[in-house]
Amino acid sequence: GNSVTQMEGPVTLSEEAFLTINCTYTATGYPSLFWYVQYPGEGLQLLLKATKADDKGSNKGFEATYRKETTSFHLEKGSVQVSDSAVYFCALSGGSNYKLTFGKGTLLTVNP
Amino acid sequence: EAGVTQFPSHSVIEKGQTVTLRCDPISGHDNLYWYRRVMGKEIKFLLHFVKESKQDESGMPNNRFLAERTGGTYSTLKVQPAELEDSGVYFCASSQGPIQYFGAGTRLSVL
C-alpha cells in the first residue's frame, strides 16, 4: 500500500535559517504529492503540490520537487520566519477518489 | 466563502458514552472525507462520501463508528460506545477535485 515517511521533529531554527524537511514515499502508479501546513489552532492548509515527476511546487517561499528516481518530495525554504512556526505534513494521493496518505508531521518552531 | 466547519472543536467524554461529530463542507463540494490523527501518529483516512453515498469506507476502524451525510450536505460521525483508543483529532475535508480543503478538526478525549 501507499506510505509516506517524513523527518521526525521537532525542528527548531532561528529566524532566517535554511529549512529542509525530508519526505519520501512508497506508492503504486503515479501519485500526486502535497505539503500541508497546520498553524496553531487552525485546520490543515495546502502549502504546495506537484502532480508529476520533476514538477516543482512552490508557495510562500517554500519549494518541493517531485523526484521519482528517489521517491522524494523534500520541503525547503531559504529563510524561515517566526510566522512559519507550524506542523508540516507530507502527503500523497493516488487513485480515483483522491484520498490522502500522510506522514506523521514535523513540528517547526522558529525563534526570533 | 465559508470554509469547512467542524463542531465541536473539543469534546471530552467518558468511556462507553456516545459522541457525534459534525462537519459542514464548503458549499457545492460533492466530496467529503473524514480523517483521524491519533497522538503521535499519522493522519489516517477513515472514509469518503460522494454526495450522500459512501464511496470508500475502508479506513473505518470498526462498527462502533457510523458516518452519515444527509442529503449530500453536512456529515456526522458517531462513535458509540466510545473507547479510550478513539481519542485523537478528527478532521473533515471537502473537495470538488483533487485538492482537499480541511476543517480545524475536533479533538476527542475519551477518559
Side-chain angles (χ1 to χ4, degrees):
Chain A
N2 296 340
S3 68
V4 174
T5 302
Q6 70 179 94
M7 188 169 105
E8 300 263 347
V11 174
T12 303
L13 297 173
S14 297
E15 209 165 20
E16 299 184 3
F18 184 85
L19 169 71
T20 299
I21 301 178
N22 290 337
C23 172
T24 57
Y25 67 90
T26 301
T28 54
Y30 302 95
S32 294
L33 301 175
F34 305 85
W35 277 99
Y36 277 85
V37 58
Q38 185 179 24
Y39 298 103
E42 299 184 15
L44 293 164
Q45 301 176 22
L46 178 65
L47 180 59
L48 53 83
K49 67 177 175 65
T51 58
K52 62 183 187 297
D54 299 325
D55 268 2
K56 178 186 283 188
S58 61
N59 186 25
K60 299 183 180 179
F62 291 89
E63 293 183 340
T65 301
Y66 190 144
R67 301 284 187 201
K68 196 170 188 308
E69 64 276 13
T70 54
T71 61
S72 66
F73 193 54
H74 304 320
L75 182 68
E76 296 183 337
K77 186 173 185 181
S79 176
V80 293
Q81 306 300 311
V82 172
S83 56
D84 293 327
S85 297
V87 182
Y88 292 80
F89 295 91
C90 185
L92 67 83
S93 76
S96 58
N97 70 350
Y98 302 122
K99 73 181 180 186
L100 292 166
T101 300
F102 285 90
K104 288 188 178 182
T106 302
L107 173 63
L108 170 66
T109 301
V110 180
N111 295 318
Chain B
E1 179 183 323
V4 177
T5 309
Q6 293 187 245
F7 303 98
S9 58
H10 193 184
S11 179
V12 181
I13 62 172
E14 293 189 353
K15 176 182 171 180
Q17 290 185 323
T18 298
V19 63
T20 299
L21 314 181
R22 173 169 168 148
C23 170
D24 287 77
I26 293 172
S27 177
H29 281 190
D30 288 338
N31 297 289
L32 188 148
Y33 305 80
W34 283 98
Y35 295 85
R36 176 175 75 170
R37 187 185 191 201
V38 173
M39 184 178 292
K41 298 199 172 180
E42 299 90 342
I43 300 171
K44 294 224 170 183
F45 168 82
L46 295 178
L47 87 159
H48 170 217
F49 285 98
V50 177
K51 297 184 180 178
E52 68 275 11
S53 300
K54 291 176 187 174
Q55 192 76 11
D56 179 354
E57 50 185 329
S58 60
M60 294 288 264
N62 52 61
N63 60 10
R64 295 185 292 104
F65 288 75
L66 175 64
E68 296 180 325
R69 188 177 183 193
T70 307
T73 57
Y74 70 92
S75 175
T76 57
L77 180 64
K78 180 189 289 188
V79 186
Q80 180 181 27
E83 298 290 344
L84 299 179
E85 64 264 26
D86 301 332
S87 295
V89 181
Y90 290 77
F91 291 102
C92 174
S94 71
S95 76
Q96 195 61 2
I99 305 301
Q100 296 180 29
Y101 298 87
F102 282 78
T106 294
R107 180 173 297 278
L108 175 63
S109 300
V110 182
L111 306 179

